[in-house]
Amino acid sequence: MTAVGDRPIGFGPLKRKEDARFIRGKGNYLDDIRLPGMVHMAILRSPFAHAKINSIDTSAALALPGVAAVITAKDLETLGLAWMPTISYDTQAVLAGDKVRFQGQEVAAVIAIDEYIARDALQLIDVDYEPLPAVVNARKALDEDAPLIRDDKDGQLDNLASPTWEAGDEESTDKAFAEADTIVSRDIIYPRCHPAPLETCGMIADFNPETGQLDLYNGNQAPHAHRTVYAHVAGLAEHMIRIKCNDIGGGFGNKVPVYPGYVCAIAGSIVAGVPVKWIEDRSENLMSTGFARDYIMKSDICAKDGKITGLRVDVIADHGAFDSTAQPTKFPAGFFHIVCGSYDLQASHVKVKAVYTNKAPGGVAYRCSFRITEAVYLVERMVEALALEMHIDPIDLRMQSFIGTEQFPYETTTGWTYDSGDYHKTMRVAMDIAGYEDLRQEQEEKRARGELMGIGISFFTEGVGAGPRKHMDILGLAMNDGADLRVHPSGKAVVSLSAQTQGQGHETTFAQIVAEELGIPPEDVEVRHGDTDKSPYGLGTYGSRSTPVSGAAVAVVSRKVRDKARAIAAQMLETRPEDLAWEKGRWYVKGDPSVGATIFDITERAYSGDSLPEGMEGGLDAQVIYDPPNLTYPYGAYIAVVDVDPETAHVTVRRFIAVDDCGVRINPMIVDGQIHGGLAEGVGIALMEVITFDEEGNCLNGSFMDYLIPTALECPDFELGATVTPCPHHPLGAKGVGESPNVGSPPAIVNAVIDALQPLGVNHVDMPCTPARVWAAMQGNAAPPQ
Amino acid sequence: MQTPARFDYERATSLQGAIASLKEHEDSRIIAGGHSLLPMMKLRLASPTRLIDINDLTDLQYIREEGDEIAIGALTRHVELLKSELLAEHFPLFKDAELVIADPVVRNRGTIGGSLCQADAAEDLSAVCAAVKATVVITGADGTRTVPMDQFHLGPWTTAVGEGEILTEVRIAKRPGGGSAHEKVERRAGDWAIAAASAAVWIDGGVITDAGIALSAVGLTTIDLTRAEELLRGQPPSEELFEQAGAIASEDCMPIPDSRGPVDYKRHLAGVLTKRALRKATARALS
Ligand SMILES: Cc1cc2nc3c(=O)[nH]c(=O)nc-3n(C[C@H](O)[C@H](O)[C@H](O)COP(=O)(O)OP(=O)(O)OC[C@H]3O[C@@H](n4cnc5c(N)ncnc54)[C@H](O)[C@@H]3O)c2cc1C
C-alpha cells in the first residue's frame, strides 16, 4: 500500500469520507428536503386484516380547511394506477377498492397543506367495512375452508401464492437417508421480522406539467429499476423521470420494493401539479412495508460414519396478502437452496410452497441475499441438532463434513458453484480467538454449579453479488451494474455508480478502488450515486452486491482508463505500451524505472492540445457495464457464548466471535463496521425482534415499544477475526460482506441458548429467545411464535 | 412523522396559575417530562385540548431532607433520582430502579410526578414508592392534602389526583435499620418490565420489624403484597422466608398475558424477583 503520510492511496483502513457530514448532523435525508409550493400527503390504512369495503365517504375530510384532495381507488382507476406490479410478478392494490387484505393496507390518501392537517383529515374519512374471516396462520392457508384472499386474481381458487418449487434431488436424498446411521428431524421457524430502517420510507414527487418532467426524491435501494417500473406503471416516459436518493437512513432490504405510497405521491403530484411529500411514520413502516423471513420449515438431516450426508427441507413461506418477495425471476424461493451450507453432502432436497395470508406483504431480503438467511439458519440449527444426537462436539461434526479446500470450485447438490474457500482454517481461527477448549472447560465447571452457560457455533456460506445475466434478472432486467469514470484535467476524478449507499460507506470504498487502480488519492475521487440522471444504469444495492458487482465495475472501468493512460504514456516516453510497467499511479519504462509518467502527467496530456496516439480520442473517461460471471461466496465461522439466568430465563450474549472470509478487504475498517452492525441485528433477531398477529390478524408489533431493536447493552464487545481467500473471478478478489453477520449470527446465538439448556434436556427453541419463550422451553413447553 | 391532534399550549409560571388553568379548560392536561403523554398523543390515544407545561416550575424540582423525612418535588427528573446521594444512602432501590428505567434521553426529562400520575401498572417508580411506604402531596386551589401510596392508584391510569389538582411532592419517612432493593426483568434495556419487584425491610435486633413489597407490570395497577409483608413482620430474615414471600407474590399478582409473556411466566417471575429483592434489601439493611 502506497501512502501519503498515514493515508493509504488505495486499499486500507481509511476513515469514511461521508462521515464528515453524518457525524455533524449534516446529512441530507428525505425529510430535510422542502420544495417551494410543496404539499403533504398522509395515508388512511385499514384497521381490519380482511374486510369488504362497501363505501368510502370522503366529504368530511374534503371539507376540512387545508385539505386539497382525497384520493381513493376510484380516482386511481381513472389513471390506470389502482394496481401495480410487485417485484415477484404479482399485482398489489395501490389503494384498496374492493376489499382490504391486511391490517395497515392503504385505503385512501389525503393531500393537504401540512402534515398535521393531512393526518387530521384521515380521521374524517368514513369507510364502511364489512369484516371477513382472516387467514392468519400460514399452515392453515390452504385448508378447504380457508377464506379466499386474492379473489381479484383470475383463476385463483385458493391461497397458494406460487407453485411448489423444488431444488436438489429427491430420490438420491431418500437414498442418502436410507443409508444413514443417524437421522434427526426438527420443525424450525424463522419468524417474521422487519428490517426497520431508522429512516422510514417516503417520497417527494414533483411533476412539472409544463415540461412533463417528473422528479422523485426517494431513498431507495434500486433507483434505476424503480424508474423503469414507474415508466411501466404510470405510462410515463422513462427519460422524463429522475430519481434522486440523497442520503438514506438505512435500507436493509426494506427500501427495495416500490410501495403504494410512492405511486399515490406520484399520482397526487400529477393531479395537483405541485410537489407532494409523503413520509410514513414508524407504525406504518412496521405494519405495512416489506417484512422479512416468515419461513415455516420442516427438516431432516442425516449422517453416516460421523459425517453429514443428506438434508431435506419442506418450507411453507408466508408471503402475506400480495407476493412482493424480493428475488431474481427464476428463483421463486430466492437462493434458499444454498441450504446445503458449507458441507460436502451426498444429496439434498428442498421444497418450498408459498401462501397468501391476511398479513402485510413482503418477504424482502433483510440484509440477506434472497433467503440465504433462512437457509443458513436452517442448516446450522440442523447440524447442531445432529451433533447433539450423535453426542459429538458440533465443531468436530462440521470439521468432518466441510467441503475441502481442494474441492473448489465446488458444485453443490442443489446447483451452486462455490468459488473458493478454506473452511477448516477459518473455523480454527475462530476457535483460537474464542479459546474454545477453555470455554468448554468453563462450561463444565459452571454446569456442576447449576449455572447455565452455552456455546453456539454457526458456519455459513453465502452466495452474493447477483448476478450473471444468463441466470438472473428482476422483472426482466439483467442484474448488472454500470460504472462511469471521468478523470478531469487536474487529475481529480468522479466515478458514478448505479448502486446507492444507505450507510455502507460506498463513497469511501469505491474511491479507494479507483485510488488502488489509478494511484489517485481517494479524497480526489468523488463517488456519485443515487441520481438516475447522473449515473449509469444498474440494479442497485442489496444482496451484498455492491462490491461484487459495482465494485468490480469500478475496478474494470479504472483499468480501462489505465490502459488508455498506458498508450498515452508510451507516446509521451517515446516507447511502446508493452515496454511500460505499472506501479501505483505511474507508468514507467521497464528496465529504467526513473523514466516514467505519472497519472497526473498523463491526464494533463490527455486533455492538452498535444498530440495523442493515432486514432485516440481526447480525455480520460471510460464507462462499463459489469456482468458478473458467478456469485461470490463469502463465508465465516461464528461462536456465541451466552449465559441464561436459571430462574428468570433471561439470556445474555456474553461473547461473540466472528471470523469472516470475504476475500480481499478494500477497507478493513468499513468491513469491521459492517460486521458490527450486522451482528447487532443478529442479536436482535435471535433475542427480541418479531412481528406477530392475533387471531383477527391485528399486528401486535406496530411501534418500537413492541418491536424491539437491540441496544449497545445487549451486544457484547464483538471479537472479530479474518481469513482472506480471494474470489478467483472478481477483478479485485473481493466478495460481499454486508450481510454475512446478519446471516451468520442468529443460529450461533440460538445454538448457544440450546447448548446452555442441555442440562434441562431442551433440544429446541424458536426465535426470538425472549425470557418468556426460553422459560417455556425450560419447562418443556417450547412453542413456535404466532 | 407521528403527529398529535390539534391542541393549545401554555407554559405555567406558577403552581396556582397551572391549577387555575387546569380548572378553567376542560380536557386540559399537565405536561411534565412528556415521555408518557407525548407518545400517547402522537399515537392519538390521548387528545387533550390544552397542555399546561409545568417545566418552568423549578420550585417543584428537589430532593431534600426535612426532619425525619425525605421530600422529593414532583418535577424531579429520573436522572436526579439516579444521581442523588441522599437517596442512595437511605433508599438505594431508587438507584436500582433508575438504572433500568428507559434510557438516558427519557431519564433526562421524565419526572417522578409524571411517573406516578401516569399510573401505568408497569411504571417502576410506582412500585418503588409503594414499597418504601411513601406519601404523596396533592395541591389544589384550596390547598394541599396528603395521600399514602397504597391509596394513590385507584385503578389503571387513574389516581387520587382530582380535577384541578397537581401532584407536588413525594415524602418518605426515614426509619432506622432500613434496606431496600428493586429487581426487574426486561426483554431489552430500556423496555418496560416483564415484571419488577420493589422491596424494603426494616430490621431491628435481628428481626424484621416492617416490610414493604410492591410489584410492577403484573396486574392492572401496582400490586401491594400485603400478605407477604405480614408474613415477614416479626420474623428473622432467612432464605426460606424469602422463598415463602416469593410464593405469595406468585399467588397474589394478577398478570395479564401480552407480548412480554404469558401468565405463568409472569407469576413465576414475580416470585423470583420478590425473593431477590428481599434478599438484597436485607443484605443492605444489615450492612
Ligand atoms: C421509551 C420509553 C421507555 C420507558 N421505559 C420506562 C421504564 O422502563 N420504566 C418506567 O417506569 N417508565 C418508563 N418510561 C416512562 C418514563 O418513566 C416517563 O418519564 C414517565 O412515565 C412519565 O413522566 P413524565 O414526566 O414524562 O410525564 P408526562 O408524560 O409529562 O405525563 C404523564 C401523565 O402524568 C400527568 N402528570 C405529569 N406530572 C403531573 C403532576 N405533577 N401532577 C399531576 N399530573 C401530572 C400528565 O398530565 C400525564 O397524564 C419510559 C418512557 C419511554 C418514552
Side-chain angles (χ1 to χ4, degrees), chain A residues 119-120 123 645 647-648 705 709 714, chain B residues 3 44 188-189 192 265 268 275-276:
Chain A
R119 289 197 179 243
D120 289 347
Q123 294 180 308
D645 186 314
E647 286 184 316
T648 67
M705 294 299 277
I709 51 175
E714 281 75 39
Chain B
T3 56
R44 301 205 177 198
R188 186 206 61 191
W192 297 83
Y265 175 60
H268 164 77
K275 180 181 72 183
R276 288 185 179 181

mmCIF file with all atom_site columns, all heavy atoms in Angstrom, chain A residues 119-120 123 645 647-648 705 709 714, chain B residues 3 44 188-189 192 265 268 275-276:
data_model
loop_
_atom_site.group_PDB
_atom_site.id
_atom_site.type_symbol
_atom_site.label_atom_id
_atom_site.label_alt_id
_atom_site.label_comp_id
_atom_site.label_asym_id
_atom_site.label_entity_id
_atom_site.label_seq_id
_atom_site.pdbx_PDB_ins_code
_atom_site.Cartn_x
_atom_site.Cartn_y
_atom_site.Cartn_z
_atom_site.occupancy
_atom_site.B_iso_or_equiv
_atom_site.pdbx_formal_charge
_atom_site.auth_seq_id
_atom_site.auth_comp_id
_atom_site.auth_asym_id
_atom_site.auth_atom_id
_atom_site.pdbx_PDB_model_num
ATOM 1   N N   . ARG A 1 119 ? -53.129 14.498  8.402  1.00 0.00 ? 119 ARG A N   1
ATOM 2   C CA  . ARG A 1 119 ? -53.434 13.393  9.325  1.00 0.00 ? 119 ARG A CA  1
ATOM 3   C C   . ARG A 1 119 ? -54.750 13.621  10.075 1.00 0.00 ? 119 ARG A C   1
ATOM 4   O O   . ARG A 1 119 ? -55.463 12.659  10.368 1.00 0.00 ? 119 ARG A O   1
ATOM 5   C CB  . ARG A 1 119 ? -52.269 13.167  10.278 1.00 0.00 ? 119 ARG A CB  1
ATOM 6   C CG  . ARG A 1 119 ? -51.107 12.568  9.514  1.00 0.00 ? 119 ARG A CG  1
ATOM 7   C CD  . ARG A 1 119 ? -50.076 11.931  10.390 1.00 0.00 ? 119 ARG A CD  1
ATOM 8   N NE  . ARG A 1 119 ? -49.037 11.388  9.511  1.00 0.00 ? 119 ARG A NE  1
ATOM 9   C CZ  . ARG A 1 119 ? -48.759 10.098  9.418  1.00 0.00 ? 119 ARG A CZ  1
ATOM 10  N NH1 . ARG A 1 119 ? -49.392 9.216   10.141 1.00 0.00 ? 119 ARG A NH1 1
ATOM 11  N NH2 . ARG A 1 119 ? -47.823 9.680   8.595  1.00 0.00 ? 119 ARG A NH2 1
ATOM 12  N N   . ASP A 1 120 ? -55.056 14.859  10.367 1.00 0.00 ? 120 ASP A N   1
ATOM 13  C CA  . ASP A 1 120 ? -56.368 15.126  10.974 1.00 0.00 ? 120 ASP A CA  1
ATOM 14  C C   . ASP A 1 120 ? -57.478 14.662  10.030 1.00 0.00 ? 120 ASP A C   1
ATOM 15  O O   . ASP A 1 120 ? -58.483 14.090  10.459 1.00 0.00 ? 120 ASP A O   1
ATOM 16  C CB  . ASP A 1 120 ? -56.547 16.629  11.245 1.00 0.00 ? 120 ASP A CB  1
ATOM 17  C CG  . ASP A 1 120 ? -55.659 17.115  12.396 1.00 0.00 ? 120 ASP A CG  1
ATOM 18  O OD1 . ASP A 1 120 ? -55.110 16.267  13.118 1.00 0.00 ? 120 ASP A OD1 1
ATOM 19  O OD2 . ASP A 1 120 ? -55.524 18.346  12.553 1.00 0.00 ? 120 ASP A OD2 1
ATOM 20  N N   . GLN A 1 123 ? -58.891 11.072  9.925  1.00 0.00 ? 123 GLN A N   1
ATOM 21  C CA  . GLN A 1 123 ? -59.896 10.653  10.911 1.00 0.00 ? 123 GLN A CA  1
ATOM 22  C C   . GLN A 1 123 ? -61.309 11.018  10.462 1.00 0.00 ? 123 GLN A C   1
ATOM 23  O O   . GLN A 1 123 ? -62.284 10.586  11.064 1.00 0.00 ? 123 GLN A O   1
ATOM 24  C CB  . GLN A 1 123 ? -59.582 11.298  12.269 1.00 0.00 ? 123 GLN A CB  1
ATOM 25  C CG  . GLN A 1 123 ? -58.263 10.770  12.833 1.00 0.00 ? 123 GLN A CG  1
ATOM 26  C CD  . GLN A 1 123 ? -57.907 11.367  14.185 1.00 0.00 ? 123 GLN A CD  1
ATOM 27  O OE1 . GLN A 1 123 ? -57.906 12.582  14.351 1.00 0.00 ? 123 GLN A OE1 1
ATOM 28  N NE2 . GLN A 1 123 ? -57.615 10.515  15.145 1.00 0.00 ? 123 GLN A NE2 1
ATOM 29  N N   . ASP A 1 645 ? -30.024 -17.027 32.770 1.00 0.00 ? 645 ASP A N   1
ATOM 30  C CA  . ASP A 1 645 ? -30.366 -16.988 34.191 1.00 0.00 ? 645 ASP A CA  1
ATOM 31  C C   . ASP A 1 645 ? -31.275 -18.187 34.494 1.00 0.00 ? 645 ASP A C   1
ATOM 32  O O   . ASP A 1 645 ? -32.361 -18.297 33.921 1.00 0.00 ? 645 ASP A O   1
ATOM 33  C CB  . ASP A 1 645 ? -31.082 -15.664 34.491 1.00 0.00 ? 645 ASP A CB  1
ATOM 34  C CG  . ASP A 1 645 ? -31.352 -15.473 35.976 1.00 0.00 ? 645 ASP A CG  1
ATOM 35  O OD1 . ASP A 1 645 ? -31.822 -16.423 36.647 1.00 0.00 ? 645 ASP A OD1 1
ATOM 36  O OD2 . ASP A 1 645 ? -31.122 -14.359 36.459 1.00 0.00 ? 645 ASP A OD2 1
ATOM 37  N N   . GLU A 1 647 ? -33.194 -18.873 36.795 1.00 0.00 ? 647 GLU A N   1
ATOM 38  C CA  . GLU A 1 647 ? -34.508 -18.571 37.374 1.00 0.00 ? 647 GLU A CA  1
ATOM 39  C C   . GLU A 1 647 ? -35.386 -17.729 36.448 1.00 0.00 ? 647 GLU A C   1
ATOM 40  O O   . GLU A 1 647 ? -36.560 -18.004 36.280 1.00 0.00 ? 647 GLU A O   1
ATOM 41  C CB  . GLU A 1 647 ? -34.328 -17.829 38.707 1.00 0.00 ? 647 GLU A CB  1
ATOM 42  C CG  . GLU A 1 647 ? -33.859 -18.745 39.827 1.00 0.00 ? 647 GLU A CG  1
ATOM 43  C CD  . GLU A 1 647 ? -33.774 -18.005 41.153 1.00 0.00 ? 647 GLU A CD  1
ATOM 44  O OE1 . GLU A 1 647 ? -33.257 -16.868 41.196 1.00 0.00 ? 647 GLU A OE1 1
ATOM 45  O OE2 . GLU A 1 647 ? -34.237 -18.574 42.146 1.00 0.00 ? 647 GLU A OE2 1
ATOM 46  N N   . THR A 1 648 ? -34.804 -16.681 35.872 1.00 0.00 ? 648 THR A N   1
ATOM 47  C CA  . THR A 1 648 ? -35.635 -15.775 35.067 1.00 0.00 ? 648 THR A CA  1
ATOM 48  C C   . THR A 1 648 ? -35.615 -16.111 33.583 1.00 0.00 ? 648 THR A C   1
ATOM 49  O O   . THR A 1 648 ? -36.398 -15.590 32.816 1.00 0.00 ? 648 THR A O   1
ATOM 50  C CB  . THR A 1 648 ? -35.154 -14.321 35.207 1.00 0.00 ? 648 THR A CB  1
ATOM 51  O OG1 . THR A 1 648 ? -33.861 -14.204 34.603 1.00 0.00 ? 648 THR A OG1 1
ATOM 52  C CG2 . THR A 1 648 ? -35.082 -13.896 36.664 1.00 0.00 ? 648 THR A CG2 1
ATOM 53  N N   . MET A 1 705 ? -41.964 0.339   20.767 1.00 0.00 ? 705 MET A N   1
ATOM 54  C CA  . MET A 1 705 ? -42.200 -0.156  22.112 1.00 0.00 ? 705 MET A CA  1
ATOM 55  C C   . MET A 1 705 ? -42.497 -1.656  22.060 1.00 0.00 ? 705 MET A C   1
ATOM 56  O O   . MET A 1 705 ? -42.308 -2.371  23.041 1.00 0.00 ? 705 MET A O   1
ATOM 57  C CB  . MET A 1 705 ? -43.393 0.552   22.772 1.00 0.00 ? 705 MET A CB  1
ATOM 58  C CG  . MET A 1 705 ? -43.170 2.032   23.028 1.00 0.00 ? 705 MET A CG  1
ATOM 59  S SD  . MET A 1 705 ? -41.802 2.380   24.146 1.00 0.00 ? 705 MET A SD  1
ATOM 60  C CE  . MET A 1 705 ? -42.605 2.159   25.726 1.00 0.00 ? 705 MET A CE  1
ATOM 61  N N   . ILE A 1 709 ? -35.688 -3.314  18.905 1.00 0.00 ? 709 ILE A N   1
ATOM 62  C CA  . ILE A 1 709 ? -34.403 -3.483  18.251 1.00 0.00 ? 709 ILE A CA  1
ATOM 63  C C   . ILE A 1 709 ? -33.326 -3.357  19.334 1.00 0.00 ? 709 ILE A C   1
ATOM 64  O O   . ILE A 1 709 ? -33.516 -2.673  20.321 1.00 0.00 ? 709 ILE A O   1
ATOM 65  C CB  . ILE A 1 709 ? -34.189 -2.499  17.090 1.00 0.00 ? 709 ILE A CB  1
ATOM 66  C CG1 . ILE A 1 709 ? -34.471 -1.073  17.502 1.00 0.00 ? 709 ILE A CG1 1
ATOM 67  C CG2 . ILE A 1 709 ? -35.072 -2.857  15.914 1.00 0.00 ? 709 ILE A CG2 1
ATOM 68  C CD1 . ILE A 1 709 ? -34.160 -0.072  16.407 1.00 0.00 ? 709 ILE A CD1 1
ATOM 69  N N   . GLU A 1 714 ? -27.201 -4.895  24.824 1.00 0.00 ? 714 GLU A N   1
ATOM 70  C CA  . GLU A 1 714 ? -27.401 -6.321  24.555 1.00 0.00 ? 714 GLU A CA  1
ATOM 71  C C   . GLU A 1 714 ? -26.239 -6.908  23.756 1.00 0.00 ? 714 GLU A C   1
ATOM 72  O O   . GLU A 1 714 ? -26.188 -8.115  23.533 1.00 0.00 ? 714 GLU A O   1
ATOM 73  C CB  . GLU A 1 714 ? -28.697 -6.553  23.760 1.00 0.00 ? 714 GLU A CB  1
ATOM 74  C CG  . GLU A 1 714 ? -29.945 -6.497  24.599 1.00 0.00 ? 714 GLU A CG  1
ATOM 75  C CD  . GLU A 1 714 ? -30.317 -5.071  24.978 1.00 0.00 ? 714 GLU A CD  1
ATOM 76  O OE1 . GLU A 1 714 ? -30.178 -4.157  24.143 1.00 0.00 ? 714 GLU A OE1 1
ATOM 77  O OE2 . GLU A 1 714 ? -30.712 -4.863  26.122 1.00 0.00 ? 714 GLU A OE2 1
ATOM 78  N N   . THR B 2 3   ? -48.019 12.482  14.227 1.00 0.00 ? 3   THR B N   1
ATOM 79  C CA  . THR B 2 3   ? -48.486 13.815  14.590 1.00 0.00 ? 3   THR B CA  1
ATOM 80  C C   . THR B 2 3   ? -49.687 13.730  15.514 1.00 0.00 ? 3   THR B C   1
ATOM 81  O O   . THR B 2 3   ? -50.629 12.983  15.268 1.00 0.00 ? 3   THR B O   1
ATOM 82  C CB  . THR B 2 3   ? -48.924 14.607  13.343 1.00 0.00 ? 3   THR B CB  1
ATOM 83  O OG1 . THR B 2 3   ? -49.923 13.841  12.672 1.00 0.00 ? 3   THR B OG1 1
ATOM 84  C CG2 . THR B 2 3   ? -47.768 14.878  12.424 1.00 0.00 ? 3   THR B CG2 1
ATOM 85  N N   . ARG B 2 44  ? -52.279 9.146   18.980 1.00 0.00 ? 44  ARG B N   1
ATOM 86  C CA  . ARG B 2 44  ? -53.669 9.606   19.081 1.00 0.00 ? 44  ARG B CA  1
ATOM 87  C C   . ARG B 2 44  ? -54.491 8.726   20.029 1.00 0.00 ? 44  ARG B C   1
ATOM 88  O O   . ARG B 2 44  ? -55.685 8.501   19.840 1.00 0.00 ? 44  ARG B O   1
ATOM 89  C CB  . ARG B 2 44  ? -54.318 9.742   17.696 1.00 0.00 ? 44  ARG B CB  1
ATOM 90  C CG  . ARG B 2 44  ? -53.523 10.746  16.837 1.00 0.00 ? 44  ARG B CG  1
ATOM 91  C CD  . ARG B 2 44  ? -54.330 11.408  15.750 1.00 0.00 ? 44  ARG B CD  1
ATOM 92  N NE  . ARG B 2 44  ? -53.494 12.403  15.042 1.00 0.00 ? 44  ARG B NE  1
ATOM 93  C CZ  . ARG B 2 44  ? -53.943 13.390  14.288 1.00 0.00 ? 44  ARG B CZ  1
ATOM 94  N NH1 . ARG B 2 44  ? -55.230 13.536  14.083 1.00 0.00 ? 44  ARG B NH1 1
ATOM 95  N NH2 . ARG B 2 44  ? -53.128 14.236  13.704 1.00 0.00 ? 44  ARG B NH2 1
ATOM 96  N N   . ARG B 2 188 ? -35.406 -6.096  26.950 1.00 0.00 ? 188 ARG B N   1
ATOM 97  C CA  . ARG B 2 188 ? -34.280 -5.368  26.375 1.00 0.00 ? 188 ARG B CA  1
ATOM 98  C C   . ARG B 2 188 ? -34.047 -4.147  27.239 1.00 0.00 ? 188 ARG B C   1
ATOM 99  O O   . ARG B 2 188 ? -34.993 -3.628  27.826 1.00 0.00 ? 188 ARG B O   1
ATOM 100 C CB  . ARG B 2 188 ? -34.628 -4.924  24.956 1.00 0.00 ? 188 ARG B CB  1
ATOM 101 C CG  . ARG B 2 188 ? -33.467 -4.291  24.223 1.00 0.00 ? 188 ARG B CG  1
ATOM 102 C CD  . ARG B 2 188 ? -33.938 -3.335  23.165 1.00 0.00 ? 188 ARG B CD  1
ATOM 103 N NE  . ARG B 2 188 ? -34.704 -2.250  23.736 1.00 0.00 ? 188 ARG B NE  1
ATOM 104 C CZ  . ARG B 2 188 ? -35.428 -1.374  23.035 1.00 0.00 ? 188 ARG B CZ  1
ATOM 105 N NH1 . ARG B 2 188 ? -35.486 -1.490  21.739 1.00 0.00 ? 188 ARG B NH1 1
ATOM 106 N NH2 . ARG B 2 188 ? -36.086 -0.407  23.631 1.00 0.00 ? 188 ARG B NH2 1
ATOM 107 N N   . ALA B 2 189 ? -32.808 -3.680  27.323 1.00 0.00 ? 189 ALA B N   1
ATOM 108 C CA  . ALA B 2 189 ? -32.526 -2.475  28.101 1.00 0.00 ? 189 ALA B CA  1
ATOM 109 C C   . ALA B 2 189 ? -33.460 -1.368  27.648 1.00 0.00 ? 189 ALA B C   1
ATOM 110 O O   . ALA B 2 189 ? -33.659 -1.152  26.455 1.00 0.00 ? 189 ALA B O   1
ATOM 111 C CB  . ALA B 2 189 ? -31.077 -2.043  27.892 1.00 0.00 ? 189 ALA B CB  1
ATOM 112 N N   . TRP B 2 192 ? -40.061 -1.599  29.125 1.00 0.00 ? 192 TRP B N   1
ATOM 113 C CA  . TRP B 2 192 ? -40.842 -1.730  30.357 1.00 0.00 ? 192 TRP B CA  1
ATOM 114 C C   . TRP B 2 192 ? -40.651 -3.126  30.925 1.00 0.00 ? 192 TRP B C   1
ATOM 115 O O   . TRP B 2 192 ? -40.310 -4.061  30.212 1.00 0.00 ? 192 TRP B O   1
ATOM 116 C CB  . TRP B 2 192 ? -42.318 -1.489  30.040 1.00 0.00 ? 192 TRP B CB  1
ATOM 117 C CG  . TRP B 2 192 ? -42.575 -0.106  29.539 1.00 0.00 ? 192 TRP B CG  1
ATOM 118 C CD1 . TRP B 2 192 ? -42.426 0.336   28.253 1.00 0.00 ? 192 TRP B CD1 1
ATOM 119 C CD2 . TRP B 2 192 ? -43.015 1.025   30.298 1.00 0.00 ? 192 TRP B CD2 1
ATOM 120 N NE1 . TRP B 2 192 ? -42.740 1.671   28.181 1.00 0.00 ? 192 TRP B NE1 1
ATOM 121 C CE2 . TRP B 2 192 ? -43.115 2.117   29.416 1.00 0.00 ? 192 TRP B CE2 1
ATOM 122 C CE3 . TRP B 2 192 ? -43.332 1.205   31.648 1.00 0.00 ? 192 TRP B CE3 1
ATOM 123 C CZ2 . TRP B 2 192 ? -43.517 3.379   29.833 1.00 0.00 ? 192 TRP B CZ2 1
ATOM 124 C CZ3 . TRP B 2 192 ? -43.734 2.462   32.054 1.00 0.00 ? 192 TRP B CZ3 1
ATOM 125 C CH2 . TRP B 2 192 ? -43.815 3.536   31.152 1.00 0.00 ? 192 TRP B CH2 1
ATOM 126 N N   . TYR B 2 265 ? -45.508 -17.474 33.338 1.00 0.00 ? 265 TYR B N   1
ATOM 127 C CA  . TYR B 2 265 ? -44.144 -16.957 33.437 1.00 0.00 ? 265 TYR B CA  1
ATOM 128 C C   . TYR B 2 265 ? -44.104 -15.713 34.322 1.00 0.00 ? 265 TYR B C   1
ATOM 129 O O   . TYR B 2 265 ? -43.211 -15.547 35.151 1.00 0.00 ? 265 TYR B O   1
ATOM 130 C CB  . TYR B 2 265 ? -43.591 -16.647 32.046 1.00 0.00 ? 265 TYR B CB  1
ATOM 131 C CG  . TYR B 2 265 ? -42.223 -15.985 32.085 1.00 0.00 ? 265 TYR B CG  1
ATOM 132 C CD1 . TYR B 2 265 ? -41.138 -16.640 32.675 1.00 0.00 ? 265 TYR B CD1 1
ATOM 133 C CD2 . TYR B 2 265 ? -42.018 -14.721 31.554 1.00 0.00 ? 265 TYR B CD2 1
ATOM 134 C CE1 . TYR B 2 265 ? -39.881 -16.039 32.734 1.00 0.00 ? 265 TYR B CE1 1
ATOM 135 C CE2 . TYR B 2 265 ? -40.771 -14.111 31.606 1.00 0.00 ? 265 TYR B CE2 1
ATOM 136 C CZ  . TYR B 2 265 ? -39.704 -14.781 32.193 1.00 0.00 ? 265 TYR B CZ  1
ATOM 137 O OH  . TYR B 2 265 ? -38.471 -14.182 32.252 1.00 0.00 ? 265 TYR B OH  1
ATOM 138 N N   . HIS B 2 268 ? -44.316 -16.655 37.902 1.00 0.00 ? 268 HIS B N   1
ATOM 139 C CA  . HIS B 2 268 ? -43.030 -17.229 38.310 1.00 0.00 ? 268 HIS B CA  1
ATOM 140 C C   . HIS B 2 268 ? -42.021 -16.110 38.577 1.00 0.00 ? 268 HIS B C   1
ATOM 141 O O   . HIS B 2 268 ? -41.333 -16.089 39.598 1.00 0.00 ? 268 HIS B O   1
ATOM 142 C CB  . HIS B 2 268 ? -42.541 -18.173 37.214 1.00 0.00 ? 268 HIS B CB  1
ATOM 143 C CG  . HIS B 2 268 ? -41.090 -18.529 37.311 1.00 0.00 ? 268 HIS B CG  1
ATOM 144 N ND1 . HIS B 2 268 ? -40.613 -19.453 38.217 1.00 0.00 ? 268 HIS B ND1 1
ATOM 145 C CD2 . HIS B 2 268 ? -40.002 -18.052 36.640 1.00 0.00 ? 268 HIS B CD2 1
ATOM 146 C CE1 . HIS B 2 268 ? -39.295 -19.542 38.089 1.00 0.00 ? 268 HIS B CE1 1
ATOM 147 N NE2 . HIS B 2 268 ? -38.897 -18.706 37.140 1.00 0.00 ? 268 HIS B NE2 1
ATOM 148 N N   . LYS B 2 275 ? -38.235 -12.532 45.841 1.00 0.00 ? 275 LYS B N   1
ATOM 149 C CA  . LYS B 2 275 ? -37.206 -13.206 46.651 1.00 0.00 ? 275 LYS B CA  1
ATOM 150 C C   . LYS B 2 275 ? -35.867 -12.476 46.532 1.00 0.00 ? 275 LYS B C   1
ATOM 151 O O   . LYS B 2 275 ? -35.201 -12.182 47.524 1.00 0.00 ? 275 LYS B O   1
ATOM 152 C CB  . LYS B 2 275 ? -37.080 -14.660 46.168 1.00 0.00 ? 275 LYS B CB  1
ATOM 153 C CG  . LYS B 2 275 ? -36.063 -15.481 46.892 1.00 0.00 ? 275 LYS B CG  1
ATOM 154 C CD  . LYS B 2 275 ? -35.980 -16.893 46.329 1.00 0.00 ? 275 LYS B CD  1
ATOM 155 C CE  . LYS B 2 275 ? -35.317 -16.896 44.962 1.00 0.00 ? 275 LYS B CE  1
ATOM 156 N NZ  . LYS B 2 275 ? -35.260 -18.225 44.336 1.00 0.00 ? 275 LYS B NZ  1
ATOM 157 N N   . ARG B 2 276 ? -35.498 -12.149 45.292 1.00 0.00 ? 276 ARG B N   1
ATOM 158 C CA  . ARG B 2 276 ? -34.197 -11.495 45.083 1.00 0.00 ? 276 ARG B CA  1
ATOM 159 C C   . ARG B 2 276 ? -34.173 -10.092 45.710 1.00 0.00 ? 276 ARG B C   1
ATOM 160 O O   . ARG B 2 276 ? -33.164 -9.688  46.282 1.00 0.00 ? 276 ARG B O   1
ATOM 161 C CB  . ARG B 2 276 ? -33.891 -11.388 43.586 1.00 0.00 ? 276 ARG B CB  1
ATOM 162 C CG  . ARG B 2 276 ? -33.557 -12.729 42.957 1.00 0.00 ? 276 ARG B CG  1
ATOM 163 C CD  . ARG B 2 276 ? -33.142 -12.550 41.512 1.00 0.00 ? 276 ARG B CD  1
ATOM 164 N NE  . ARG B 2 276 ? -32.807 -13.853 40.930 1.00 0.00 ? 276 ARG B NE  1
ATOM 165 C CZ  . ARG B 2 276 ? -32.392 -14.018 39.681 1.00 0.00 ? 276 ARG B CZ  1
ATOM 166 N NH1 . ARG B 2 276 ? -32.259 -12.973 38.889 1.00 0.00 ? 276 ARG B NH1 1
ATOM 167 N NH2 . ARG B 2 276 ? -32.107 -15.223 39.221 1.00 0.00 ? 276 ARG B NH2 1
#
